[in-house]
Amino acid sequence: MNYRIETKEAFRIIGVSAPLDKEIESNFMVVPKMWQEASVNGTIQKLAGMMDTPLMGLLGVSACNDEEQWKYFIAVSSTKTSNEFEEYTVPASTWAIFSGTGTNQSIQELEQRIIKEWLPTSGYEYANAPDIEVYLNPDPQNAQYEVWIPVAKKKA
């Protein structure tokens, strides 16, 4: 699996969110339905028009930490404000970034491979920051995307 390691300062996103279940499998139903609704009701188009800072692309952000309710955001990186959208600050972190292409289903397969195959042998462990999906070309049949996994060097 091709990847790169990048350290990034904290950045602000705006978008819509839904609660995530700690039972991961049930989220594989919630998240696609959320994307479908955002596509149909114009949310994605509105967000795309507000994107003005890197990360450029439509973002799927899984904010799952110990202190707060787990949430999934459909968002963009932006300095703009809107009463219509929720704000969230992604903390500064080091990321393992994996690129992929294919259908929107293939992004879930890539995420599972990263966790099951790459992470255990990588010398890294999960850090306390969100997972991020970056949709560079959102065409559902020919998507181009990146998966950002927060990592820290394993302590020996």
Side-chain angles (χ1 to χ4, degrees):
M1 279 189 271
N2 291 338
Y3 69 95
R4 67 186 190 274
I5 302 293
E6 221 173 272
T7 300
K8 188 161 177 47
E9 291 300 313
F11 62 97
R12 181 178 164 275
I13 61 169
I14 59 170
V16 293
S17 74
L20 286 178
D21 198 307
K22 297 208 191 273
E23 178 50 55
I24 301 302
E25 289 300 314
S26 67
N27 296 324
F28 288 122
M29 317 265 260
V30 171
V31 171
K33 185 171 183 252
M34 194 179 160
W35 278 98
Q36 177 67 34
E37 287 171 13
S39 175
V40 171
N41 70 18
T43 298
I44 287 175
Q45 292 80 359
K46 285 181 195 163
L47 284 171
M50 297 180 78
M51 182 183 353
D52 68 357
T53 55
L55 289 170
M56 299 309 271
L58 207 50
L59 309 177
V61 179
S62 300
C64 305
N65 63 39
D66 299 336
E67 297 88 51
E68 300 166 334
Q69 160 72 50
W70 288 12
K71 284 185 176 181
Y72 183 86
F73 289 88
I74 295 174
V76 294
S77 181
S78 181
T79 58
K80 298 177 181 172
T81 56
S82 166
N83 294 336
E84 196 175 348
F85 298 118
E86 193 175 338
E87 295 179 24
Y88 178 80
T89 300
V90 175
S93 191
T94 298
W95 309 88
I97 302 168
F98 300 81
S99 296
T101 58
T103 65
N104 287 346
Q105 189 64 38
S106 64
I107 198 166
Q108 291 180 348
E109 292 162 9
L110 176 59
E111 289 168 343
Q112 290 171 351
R113 285 186 59 215
I114 293 165
I115 303 307
K116 291 177 181 163
E117 297 171 25
W118 180 82
L119 197 59
T121 60
S122 67
Y124 289 94
E125 59 192 2
Y126 242 109
N128 190 19
D131 290 6
I132 303 173
E133 303 155 356
V134 182
Y135 294 93
L136 305 167
N137 170 11
D139 174 353
Q141 297 311 310
N142 186 28
Q144 291 178 295
Y145 50 80
E146 292 179 337
V147 175
W148 290 47
I149 304 291
V151 294
K153 280 273 190 205
K154 276 187 188 160
K155 294 167 182 66

